[in-house]
Amino acid sequence: MNAENLRALDRRHLWHPYAAASPSVTAHPVTRAKGVRLTLDDGRELIDGMSSWWAAIHGYGHPRLDAAVRDQLGDMAHVMFGGLTHEPAVRLARRLAEMTGLPKVFFADSGSVAVEVAIKMAFQCTGKSRLLTVKGGYHGDTFGAMSVCDPVNGMHHLFTGVLPVHVFADRPPGDYGLRPGTSRDSAEAVPDEGYLRHLEAMVERHAGELAAIIVEPVVQGAGGMRFYHPAYLRRLRELADEHGLLLIADEIATGLGRTGELFGCDHAGVRPDIMCVGKALTGGYLTMAAALCTDEVAERIGVLMHGPTFMANPLAAAVADASLSLLLERPWRDEVKCIEAGLGEGLASAAGAPGVRDVRVLGAIGVIETVDPVEVEKVQGIVMEHGVWLRPFGRLIYTMPPYCAGPGDLAAITEAMNAAVAALRS
């Protein structure tokens, strides 16, 4: 199909995410993805600073992951999971249980569905149907997940009267992570005692009606790319224990090394009762997620009322197990530290620039927060001129590159982000 026909058919038939049916923002055709680079149909190569929405942590076309898919395809692509099982799912479940300390694994189709499953687990386990979370969060686009996303900047206003009404504590102070020119010691400042007391008051006030507390550990992702002190997560764990509540950790964006620890919860040294994982689980190859829980939660639930058709798909399970094996074998912690240092150095010039509210880095996440909302297509045009692919939103120009991104890739990404900031003044 030639490029002109492809674009025309895309505009005619495809509805892209977070866009109108007739979008105003251009969709750029990709013909190849290899390593950390995307090749467009016009021959341009772009460094993918997004890891395909944070999933392709090993880059594209890794030979071990390619082989895992091919080898599994030779046996079976799919088989129903009701009344049947298979080795890829068993291997993957064992590995996840060992990594998380949560022995029961329920596979789902996507991160949003994993959150739905986690919420069902909490409701069935406790017999209660309200949750406590914090403002500024994001947990997915399905109805249960939307109901615990930020009540103002999420999608609540579009579905008023339909979404369940949960309890929202204030947004955590976003004072964690590295700022250009600061050290890790200064990033780990003393937490806000007033906010800790606020959390305590909110939980105590509503404990009798709550099934669980659900949060993204340490990093609030698509709700604003904000980093908060692990002490707040530790206190939520303590409060959950004091009041007989469950703690649900949404590790879909934060898990598998992205924040500099294997899981976001590791920053606080806590284990949740229920954990959701997804995104990077298969290394960006296939859609798959999981909700994990303790034996105690599983025993109290009994029969969990959920069953996706493609649950534990063998192809996805095989490549996920290979991806986790690859992650644990490679020096991912050193790679993420190098990315953190490279992003911190490269984004330093943006701090204090006109139109910039904040610059922050944690692990393999680099964020420039602007004063005003950015023009998505304008920013994308600028960074693409610099050979980089980013997907800004709201007031955020940010990057979450693959762990295999080298110093030259990071320099190109941060140069492109700085160029976008410079354009704010024009």
Side-chain angles (χ1 to χ4, degrees):
M1 186 181 299
N2 66 45
E4 184 178 348
N5 284 344
L6 189 150
R7 285 181 169 83
L9 289 170
D10 180 278
R11 287 192 298 271
R12 176 68 183 90
H13 297 296
L14 288 179
W15 201 328
H16 288 267
Y18 308 112
S22 299
S24 58
V25 178
T26 303
H28 303 279
V30 177
T31 60
R32 176 178 168 82
K34 190 70 175 177
V36 299
R37 284 169 170 76
L38 308 174
T39 303
L40 302 187
D41 64 339
D42 59 8
R44 283 182 294 171
E45 284 194 345
L46 305 177
I47 299 167
D48 182 7
M50 302 304 295
S51 302
S52 275
W53 266 338
W54 328 337
I57 57 174
H58 306 295
Y60 299 98
H62 194 286
R64 278 181 57 178
L65 304 189
D66 287 357
V69 175
R70 284 195 301 266
D71 292 347
Q72 180 57 43
L73 190 58
D75 293 329
M76 58 181 169
H78 182 62
V79 63
M80 67 182 290
F81 211 55
L84 300 173
T85 192
H86 49 79
E87 186 176 344
V90 173
R91 286 200 316 264
L92 177 58
R94 179 180 63 183
R95 189 183 297 277
L96 285 170
E98 291 171 348
M99 292 171 68
T100 63
L102 297 169
K104 295 299 183 183
V105 182
F106 191 97
F107 289 116
D109 304 66
S110 68
S112 294
V113 177
V115 172
E116 298 284 340
V117 171
I119 291 173
K120 280 188 176 182
M121 285 179 171
F123 289 175
Q124 280 195 241
C125 179
T126 65
K128 299 177 183 178
S129 57
R130 291 198 83 190
L131 303 168
L132 183 142
T133 187
V134 295
K135 296 176 182 177
Y138 174 82
H139 299 278
D141 295 342
T142 52
F143 274 82
M146 272 197 301
S147 70
V148 285
C149 293
D150 187 84
V152 175
N153 297 313
M155 291 177 276
H156 285 64
H157 67 285
L158 296 174
F159 303 100
T160 301
V162 178
L163 292 177
V165 179
H166 295 299
V167 178
F168 287 85
D170 290 345
R171 183 191 298 261
D175 51 8
Y176 194 60
L178 293 176
R179 264 65 179 183
T182 66
S183 67
R184 171 59 71 189
D185 290 338
S186 63
E188 296 176 351
V190 176
D192 184 329
E193 291 294 331
Y195 186 73
L196 289 170
R197 289 193 296 272
H198 168 70
L199 292 177
E200 293 162 5
M202 290 293 292
V203 174
E204 289 171 3
R205 186 180 310 145
H206 296 279
E209 58 186 316
L210 295 176
I213 299 167
I214 179 170
V215 291
E216 301 157 279
V218 179
V219 175
Q220 293 186 294
M225 293 294 167
R226 299 173 77 256
F227 315 144
Y228 65 86
H229 200 289
Y232 307 138
L233 182 59
R234 281 195 292 270
R235 188 61 184 130
L236 287 174
R237 173 72 277 180
E238 293 167 354
L239 290 167
D241 292 339
E242 291 170 15
H243 294 278
L245 309 177
L246 301 177
L247 178 64
I248 303 172
D250 179 351
E251 295 268 13
I252 292 163
T254 56
L256 306 178
R258 178 59 67 178
T259 67
E261 297 288 346
L262 192 57
F263 294 98
C265 284
D266 294 341
H267 288 272
V270 302
R271 187 189 73 165
D273 301 291
I274 302 171
M275 178 188 291
C276 302
V277 295
K279 284 197 180 292
L281 180 59
T282 69
Y285 272 64
L286 291 163
T287 181
M288 187 181 220
L292 300 91
C293 69
T294 63
D295 282 325
E296 293 79 8
V297 168
E299 289 166 5
R300 288 171 63 185
I301 291 171
V303 178
L304 179 61
M305 298 307 294
H306 204 88
T309 300
F310 288 93
M311 180 178 179
N313 171 261
L315 284 176
V319 75
D321 187 57
S323 178
L324 295 181
S325 176
L326 179 61
L327 175 67
L328 297 176
E329 290 172 15
R330 68 190 299 168
W332 66 267
R333 195 178 295 274
D334 292 336
E335 290 174 335
V336 172
K337 283 182 180 178
C338 287
I339 292 174
E340 183 179 71
L343 294 178
E345 179 180 352
L347 296 178
S349 62
V356 172
R357 175 176 290 169
D358 189 30
V359 178
R360 50 189 179 267
V361 174
L362 181 66
I365 309 171
V367 181
I368 298 174
E369 181 178 351
T370 59
V371 174
D372 299 313
V374 301
E375 298 178 45
V376 173
E377 191 155 28
K378 178 179 179 180
V379 170
Q380 285 193 321
I382 292 167
V383 299
M384 289 173 71
E385 288 175 1
H386 286 75
V388 172
W389 173 253
L390 298 176
R391 181 71 172 173
F393 71 94
R395 293 178 171 84
L396 303 176
I397 302 170
Y398 77 101
T399 182
M400 296 174 79
Y403 301 165
C404 54
D409 302 319
L410 299 175
I413 291 170
T414 55
E415 181 182 345
M417 294 172 72
N418 288 325
V421 166
L424 296 175
R425 300 192 293 271
S426 61

